[in-house]
Amino acid sequence: MAQQIAHETPASGKPGASPPIGGQPGHHAAGHPPAGHPPARHKTAVAGLALGSLGVVFGDIGTSPLYALRESLHHMKGEVTDTGVIGTVSLLIWALFFTVTAKYVLFLMRADNKGEGGTLSLMALAQRALGHRTAPVFFLGVAGAALFSGDAIITPAISVLSALEGLELVTPHFSPYVLPATIVLLISIFWVQSHGTARVAAFFGPIMAVFFLSMGVLGAMHIHDSPRILLAFDPIRGLAFLFGHGLLGFVVLGSVFLAVTGAEALYADMGHFGRLPIQGAWLLFVLPALVLNYLGQGALVLANPAAVENPFFLMAPPWALLPLVLLATMATIIASQAVITGAFSLARQAIQLGLLPRMLILHTSETQEGQIYLPRVNRLLLIGVLILVLMFKSSSALASAYGIAVTCTMVVTTLLAFVVVWKLWRWPLWLSVLFVSAFLIVDLAFLSANLLKVVDGGWVPLLLGACAMIVMWTWVRGADLLARKTRRDSISMQDLIRMLEKSKPIRVAGTAVFLTTSPEVAPSAFMHNLKHNKVMHERVLLMSVKTEETPRVPAEKRIEITKLSDDFTSIVLHFGFMESPRIPAAMASLRKAGLKFDIMTTSFFVGRRKIKPAQNSGMPVWQDKLFIALFRQSANPTDYFSIPSDRVVELGEQLTI
């Protein structure tokens, strides 16, 4: 699943406008040229976006031919038959036709959340369709996001390993160096994240275009080795192999799924490239290249069964083997980069939706909002990837662990899509069930087949996903308990205002901004300042940040100002879950909105809490300790909201939970 590398196209258009059946308001790439631009320019823009999407959207699924067919045929244990090869290739290409093309490209890309896709976007859309947060929908969204984190660690490891293993075909002398080279390359990929990818991202699309073109040409060159491979276009061949070979067909189906592991990226990156560029790139370029390559690999194995050891690289003539290895390595680097930045984007969404504690989010580009870097997430991913490489040591071993979490995510996506189809698109219940069941049956078949991998390594992504779910569940539960305790122990602002009108505290010049999660109650920082310093500023702004269930909030809906009294003003800043809340930019908008204050005499007051466990917190002891540990790791509000540190006053308090 790839997200946030380049070419972010923010939604525009009228706020709240929503086309039928999940269209994309303001996304020019979604089908119609923007007003005032000639069609030729629009076509050029779509073509440019389609080229850019090759590196970001299709990196993961594009590197699947390196190992998908090889791993599928390895289950036949040396007895490669015509029926087995043709049946397996048939399952591969029909998985691309049905799961990727029909489900994701043609169906799910119409279920967008203001132009954005992905599990958390779909969760927010389903909740909005129901009109409130429901436990099942919330659980599905959290599960999908958590399971993705498991496979986000495996993708860079298996992709880079599978490419560098091609060096062993150039000469066996390279074999001892494959693992060390993989480790060095992976460390380098994660090391450059802090520098941003804006400069090199422009090359991702062209490099992947050359890679896809090379795959298609190589595949087409080998089809004549055994033209009967074209029988794979008959889906009956695949189904006959699946149901006619007992457990073997089921096991092969689990490896066939490796061909569609990048399908979620097509949906997740819709907001960055638009629906039309992704659909066009897939249908006109990527899909034909993948199909030709799988057919070519199958024909080569039919003509030469010994090629089953590594059919992708053995399709290349000897003079082109080393260049193909280098090209495949660059493609896997791009695929890894896409997954890493996708993990950054998903983490930011989870933070904004309150599923994770605040983490430092750095912007590596002055022009592209999507270019972000989360140091803590980057370190965790690198550690996880290196552990997996050292544990499994080969792409074949990693393939046993790969895919199971993605199948679970696909099931989650299908179930959330059912809510959208039924409640938001208002299809009849029977039609919604009938339509979505077709995709769900295939997803469950893939999931059942992948469950066989649990013992051989599939437990790794499931364990990682389970840990991520526990962290999210603990944070949501603990934050809710903390918020309820804060409200219970606080005084309402209206009561406080009446008390201050009678007590008349000492006033000092300037404006004080108090950050609070609940503007209806007095912020603890304000109460501490009043108690210890015994003064109050001339103007007091109570500022809270609210994350909406939409990817982005239009500028005209960003600020909500409520005058509480002559001295107190409540300000609610609305941000989408794909946006980074930057308070200085919001303050500039406040001045434009007519709120008078001098930024040079404005101070920001932030409460710094220290949490201790209570005897009866409402959570088990282990969950109390986990929540407190997560709370301590939360980013400082000053850094998270990009507030100038020389304008901040921090006031501490101790709470029990």
Side-chain angles (χ1 to χ4, degrees):
M1 176 177 166
Q3 295 186 9
Q4 308 262 9
I5 288 190
H7 305 296
E8 184 162 346
T9 50
S12 57
K14 295 181 180 179
S18 144
I21 317 186
Q24 302 175 86
H27 257 286
H28 304 326
H32 300 287
H37 293 270
R41 186 180 301 178
H42 172 62
K43 291 179 180 178
T44 303
V46 171
L49 288 170
L51 178 62
S53 72
L54 292 179
V56 182
V57 179
F58 302 107
D60 190 359
I61 201 169
T63 53
S64 294
L66 290 171
Y67 46 80
L69 182 61
R70 181 193 71 196
E71 296 306 319
S72 299
L73 296 179
H74 274 183
H75 297 297
M76 298 180 188
K77 298 180 180 179
E79 298 179 5
V80 179
T81 63
D82 287 13
T83 302
V85 173
I86 295 173
T88 302
V89 173
S90 179
L91 290 173
L92 281 166
I93 61 178
W94 277 98
L96 295 175
F97 290 156
F98 188 80
T99 298
V100 183
T101 307
K103 178 184 173 181
Y104 283 92
V105 175
L106 300 180
F107 166 53
L108 275 177
M109 291 188 75
R110 299 192 64 82
D112 69 303
N113 189 348
K114 301 291 185 181
E116 295 289 344
T119 304
L120 291 179
S121 291
L122 192 61
M123 178 193 76
L125 189 65
Q127 288 177 341
R128 197 161 71 243
L130 292 171
H132 59 284
R133 173 180 285 191
T134 61
V137 169
F138 182 74
F139 173 79
L140 287 173
V142 170
L147 288 165
F148 165 71
S149 66
D151 267 356
I153 295 177
I154 297 182
T155 297
I158 191 173
S159 298
V160 175
L161 256 178
S162 61
L164 290 179
E165 283 169 352
L167 291 171
E168 296 175 329
L169 299 177
V170 178
T171 170
H173 296 295
F174 280 131
S175 295
Y177 304 104
V178 170
L179 196 62
T182 299
I183 292 172
V184 170
L185 191 55
L186 287 169
I187 292 175
S188 302
I189 292 172
F190 283 93
W191 178 76
V192 301
Q193 297 305 311
S194 61
H195 302 283
T197 58
R199 295 180 182 177
V200 295
F203 298 101
F204 287 177
I207 291 173
M208 289 303 295
V210 173
F211 180 65
F212 283 121
L213 187 62
S214 301
M215 283 201 302
V217 170
L218 283 174
M221 287 170 53
H222 282 276
I223 290 177
H224 71 84
D225 291 354
S226 184
R228 63 185 182 278
I229 193 63
L230 295 175
L231 294 172
F233 280 113
D234 182 3
I236 302 300
R237 297 276 181 164
L239 293 174
F241 173 76
L242 176 62
F243 294 108
H245 288 73
L247 183 61
L248 174 62
F250 203 55
V251 171
V252 168
L253 185 65
S255 294
V256 164
F257 182 76
L258 295 172
V260 298
T261 50
E264 285 280 339
L266 279 70
Y267 181 44
D269 282 302
M270 180 170 53
H272 307 285
F273 297 95
R275 185 192 309 160
L276 188 58
I278 293 177
Q279 288 177 332
W282 171 256
L283 294 172
L284 301 178
F285 191 63
V286 178
L287 178 61
L290 292 175
V291 170
L292 284 172
N293 192 264
Y294 285 125
L295 289 172
Q297 288 189 50
L300 176 64
V301 172
L302 286 175
N304 179 18
V308 73
E309 289 304 315
N310 205 325
F312 180 85
F313 287 111
L314 290 175
M315 284 195 299
W319 61 267
L321 183 55
L322 184 58
L324 181 61
V325 171
L326 296 176
L327 181 61
T329 302
M330 287 190 288
T332 56
I333 291 173
I334 293 170
S336 302
Q337 176 64 58
V339 171
I340 293 167
T341 50
F344 292 163
S345 177
L346 189 73
R348 177 171 71 169
Q349 290 182 46
I351 292 168
Q352 289 289 75
L353 290 171
L355 304 178
L356 289 175
R358 286 193 301 257
M359 285 184 274
L360 182 63
I361 300 175
L362 302 176
H363 290 259
T364 58
S365 172
E366 296 180 358
T367 58
Q368 296 177 14
E369 172 70 17
Q371 292 280 343
I372 59 174
Y373 169 64
L374 283 76
R376 188 163 295 162
V377 174
N378 194 61
R379 287 194 297 270
L380 290 174
L381 286 176
L382 174 58
I383 293 170
V385 167
L386 293 180
I387 290 174
L388 285 181
V389 170
L390 294 173
M391 276 178 59
F392 290 92
K393 294 183 172 60
S394 72
S395 62
S396 292
L398 269 170
S400 298
Y402 194 39
I404 188 167
V406 176
T407 56
C408 295
T409 305
M410 286 187 171
V411 171
V412 166
T413 302
T414 304
L415 293 173
L416 290 173
F418 167 73
V419 177
V420 173
V421 169
W422 178 32
K423 290 294 186 180
L424 188 64
W425 295 359
R426 301 189 183 281
W427 287 18
L429 179 59
W430 67 269
L431 182 59
S432 302
V433 171
L434 186 65
F435 182 76
V436 174
S437 293
F439 298 115
L440 187 60
I441 289 170
V442 175
D443 290 342
L444 291 175
F446 277 130
L447 176 60
S448 302
N450 274 278
L451 288 176
L452 297 174
K453 298 180 179 181
V454 171
V455 177
D456 295 328
W459 58 270
V460 173
L462 291 179
L463 177 63
L464 293 170
C467 291
M469 279 196 69
I470 290 172
V471 167
M472 292 183 186
W473 174 48
T474 299
W475 182 255
V476 170
R477 193 177 180 188
D480 181 61
L481 288 172
L482 188 61
R484 279 190 281 173
K485 179 178 177 56
T486 302
R487 285 194 296 269
R488 187 174 62 246
D489 298 342
S490 299
I491 182 173
S492 76
M493 275 307 303
Q494 293 301 327
D495 291 342
L496 180 62
I497 290 171
R498 285 192 290 269
M499 292 169 57
L500 292 174
E501 288 174 349
K502 296 177 181 178
S503 62
K504 303 290 184 183
I506 298 172
R507 309 297 294 273
V508 294
T511 302
V513 179
F514 291 88
L515 297 184
T516 176
T517 55
S518 304
E520 66 275 4
V521 300
S524 60
F526 177 81
M527 299 302 293
H528 283 293
N529 184 56
L530 194 63
K531 177 181 178 181
H532 297 290
N533 296 327
K534 304 187 188 311
V535 297
M536 190 176 83
H537 286 71
E538 286 180 331
R539 287 172 299 277
V540 178
L541 306 181
L542 307 179
M543 183 174 290
S544 61
V545 176
K546 182 179 180 182
T547 301
E548 303 294 339
E549 291 184 346
T550 56
R552 293 174 179 81
V553 174
E556 60 270 21
K557 293 188 176 182
R558 174 82 66 208
I559 302 168
E560 181 183 343
I561 303 175
T562 305
K563 193 76 172 175
L564 301 178
S565 71
D566 292 338
D567 302 324
F568 292 88
T569 302
S570 170
I571 298 169
V572 180
L573 303 178
H574 299 269
F575 290 91
F577 58 77
M578 290 289 289
E579 297 178 300
S580 297
R582 297 180 178 183
I583 284 182
M587 294 294 289
S589 301
L590 283 172
R591 297 187 67 178
K592 292 179 182 178
L595 201 64
K596 295 181 180 180
F597 59 89
D598 181 5
I599 192 66
M600 298 306 296
T601 60
T602 297
S603 299
F604 293 87
F605 288 80
V606 178
R608 180 177 281 264
R609 293 173 167 176
K610 184 176 181 181
I611 308 296
K612 287 191 172 183
Q615 290 185 346
N616 299 307
S617 69
M619 294 193 299
V621 175
W622 67 267
Q623 206 166 26
D624 278 338
K625 292 181 178 179
L626 177 58
F627 176 75
I628 292 172
L630 291 171
F631 193 89
R632 289 173 180 167
Q633 296 298 316
S634 297
N636 189 310
T638 304
D639 298 327
Y640 184 75
F641 293 114
S642 303
I643 306 172
S645 56
D646 58 347
R647 310 300 307 166
V648 175
V649 178
E650 290 189 353
L651 297 170
E653 65 172 325
Q654 185 169 293
L655 294 173
T656 58
I657 182 173

